[in-house]
Amino acid sequence: MCGRTSCHLPKDVLARACAYRDRQGRQRLPEWKDPDKYCPSYNKSPQSNSPVLLSRLHFEKGADSSERIIAPMRWGLVPSWFKESDPSKLKFNTSNCRSDTIMEKCSFKVPLGKGRRCVVLADGFYEWQRCEVTSERQPYFIYFPQAKTEKSGNVGAVDSPEHWEKVWDNWRLLTMAGIFDCWESPEGDLLYSYTIITVDSCKSLNDIHPRMPAILDGEEEVSKWLDFGEVSTREALKLIHPTENIAFHPVSCVVNNTRNNTPECLAPLNLLVKKELKASGSSQKMMQWLATKSPKKEEPKTPPKAESDVPQWSSQVLQKSPLPTKRGGAGLLERWLKQEKEEPVAKRPHNQ
């Protein structure tokens, strides 16, 4: 699943990170729609607004479907047919959409059939690995492997907070496949919202969680997913599968609380533990008192540890955690793709 993300880049930097070529091969930057609704955050959760990429044709009749817009949308799809006056009264969770039931549930099948495909943008997403013995959960930050540059250096060998900050100079955004819809309130206000499609986890992530977002790896996949005017639903769904092109590292439990919105949420844990811990004045006095007033106790002898208990930066070091057996994630979707006759190009929705 995917229940927490980070997208902290400023609007202009985010747009530059989404540079693309249109159908004529011209270098373009996507245009912002309602940019004031975008709030950068290191710790985004469902029901908050997150930036998504989508075709300009969804907003402008007759536009080139290869041209792109960035628009902040509510995370958690509110179906266009929802009858209540308050979206929070929706009784089922729509923050994620399983790929194997996408053609069974009306909430997702209808907007997908209308070509309402989007790409959810993020620095990366968070997932928690549960320890079977203690039931404690270790959070991880998961993202695209980053290219080595003169500014960023070798991302896999980040060894100081200063180096970590330089990584963001040329960060490759994570691009996740999503579906969006447009709901109209009784007052006539339009609410755009989205869901993230999920698939079975790749091998490297399976010990953390059995599900992961459907990640679109590369410009070609992003272009095909967005261009509903030229790429049919049937063809687009062939892009929905796990990818092994992923990197991750353990992070602090600070991210557990959605109110925490600091760089510490996604900083590698092996950097955070290097910070010197200083006791407060009251703590120092308490320790002094204990040292002088308390009877001395013989410390139990413990064998020295060969290695640190703290997980390291590399995804190669990962504690095993038995998880429930996965369901046949791609079965129904694969059967639908095989049996479905060639679909006509998705109808273009009316200009909202």
Side-chain angles (χ1 to χ4, degrees):
M1 62 178 293
C2 179
R4 203 81 65 80
T5 66
S6 168
C7 191
H8 83 285
L9 299 179
K11 291 190 290 288
D12 57 338
V13 178
L14 193 70
R16 290 198 300 271
C18 296
Y20 70 100
R21 293 189 180 277
D22 62 16
R23 211 182 309 281
Q24 286 72 41
R26 296 171 297 186
Q27 186 78 14
R28 302 286 295 272
L29 292 182
E31 294 184 15
W32 275 94
K33 178 180 172 60
D34 300 325
D36 293 339
K37 292 182 179 180
Y38 170 55
C39 297
S41 174
Y42 293 95
N43 199 351
K44 285 186 172 292
S45 58
Q47 297 189 23
S48 64
N49 282 338
S50 296
V52 304
L53 275 178
L54 65 163
S55 170
R56 182 187 293 275
L57 186 57
H58 291 296
F59 296 109
E60 298 178 16
K61 188 176 181 180
D64 184 343
S65 60
S66 71
E67 295 182 7
R68 302 175 188 177
I69 296 287
I70 302 182
M73 291 190 185
R74 178 188 187 271
W75 185 2
L77 187 145
V78 180
S80 58
W81 45 261
F82 184 59
K83 300 300 183 183
E84 298 285 349
S85 59
D86 183 359
S88 64
K89 294 182 179 180
L90 191 65
K91 296 182 179 180
F92 45 92
N93 188 343
T94 57
S95 57
N96 288 168
C97 164
R98 290 182 62 101
S99 61
D100 51 328
T101 59
I102 197 170
M103 300 307 298
E104 298 176 5
K105 297 186 176 180
C106 186
S107 300
F108 307 133
K109 181 178 180 179
V110 172
L112 181 62
K114 294 179 179 178
R116 293 183 173 178
R117 309 194 297 255
C118 64
V119 173
V120 183
L121 303 172
D123 310 322
F125 71 98
Y126 300 99
E127 197 53 84
W128 283 257
Q129 179 192 40
R130 184 178 296 278
C131 176
E132 184 184 23
V133 178
T134 64
S135 293
E136 294 181 353
R137 301 197 304 165
Q138 170 61 53
Y140 285 83
F141 181 57
I142 304 167
Y143 50 95
F144 269 138
Q146 302 299 309
K148 181 178 178 180
T149 66
E150 292 183 3
K151 288 186 177 181
S152 66
N154 187 349
V155 175
V158 170
D159 57 4
S160 73
E162 291 76 17
H163 289 171
W164 176 244
E165 286 299 322
K166 292 180 181 180
V167 167
W168 298 110
D169 291 339
N170 293 280
W171 191 259
R172 182 187 175 192
L173 291 173
L174 196 67
T175 44
M176 300 174 283
I179 303 169
F180 76 94
D181 209 345
C182 180
W183 173 77
E184 185 174 355
S185 71
E187 295 75 29
D189 297 323
L190 299 180
L191 174 66
Y192 286 89
S193 58
Y194 71 90
T195 184
I196 296 175
I197 301 174
T198 64
V199 295
D200 292 336
S201 278
C202 60
K203 292 180 181 179
S204 59
L205 291 182
N206 193 47
D207 286 320
I208 297 178
H209 198 278
R211 304 288 296 177
M212 69 181 293
I215 295 171
L216 301 167
D217 189 1
E219 172 58 26
E220 182 179 357
E221 292 192 6
V222 169
S223 179
K224 286 182 178 180
W225 183 254
L226 291 179
D227 195 354
F228 71 101
E230 297 293 330
V231 181
S232 69
T233 302
R234 181 171 179 265
E235 287 300 311
L237 285 176
K238 293 179 181 179
L239 302 170
I240 304 303
H241 53 73
T243 178
E244 290 289 347
N245 186 29
I246 208 74
F248 56 89
H249 61 255
V251 295
S252 166
C253 289
V254 166
V255 74
N256 292 0
N257 189 330
T258 57
R259 289 175 294 182
N260 294 331
N261 176 22
T262 65
E264 188 178 349
C265 289
L266 47 68
L269 189 60
N270 62 320
L271 296 188
L272 297 175
V273 296
K274 289 183 180 180
K275 294 181 179 179
E276 183 180 358
L277 298 177
K278 295 183 179 180
S280 63
S282 58
S283 297
Q284 290 176 347
K285 290 181 180 178
M286 176 63 75
M287 288 188 287
Q288 290 172 359
W289 185 87
L290 290 173
T292 56
K293 301 297 182 182
S294 300
K296 294 184 179 180
K297 295 182 180 180
E298 184 178 353
E299 295 183 359
K301 296 181 179 180
T302 57
K305 296 182 180 179
E307 298 180 357
S308 171
D309 287 335
V310 179
Q312 298 302 307
W313 165 267
S314 172
S315 61
Q316 295 176 355
V317 181
L318 183 62
Q319 297 176 354
K320 299 288 184 179
S321 177
L323 292 166
T325 303
K326 297 185 297 182
R327 285 188 273 177
L332 291 174
L333 180 58
E334 289 177 356
R335 287 200 296 272
W336 183 83
L337 289 172
K338 290 178 181 178
Q339 295 174 5
E340 185 84 357
K341 294 182 179 179
E342 183 64 26
E343 240 181 69
V345 176
K347 294 182 179 179
R348 300 175 179 176
H350 295 296
N351 184 29
Q352 302 291 352

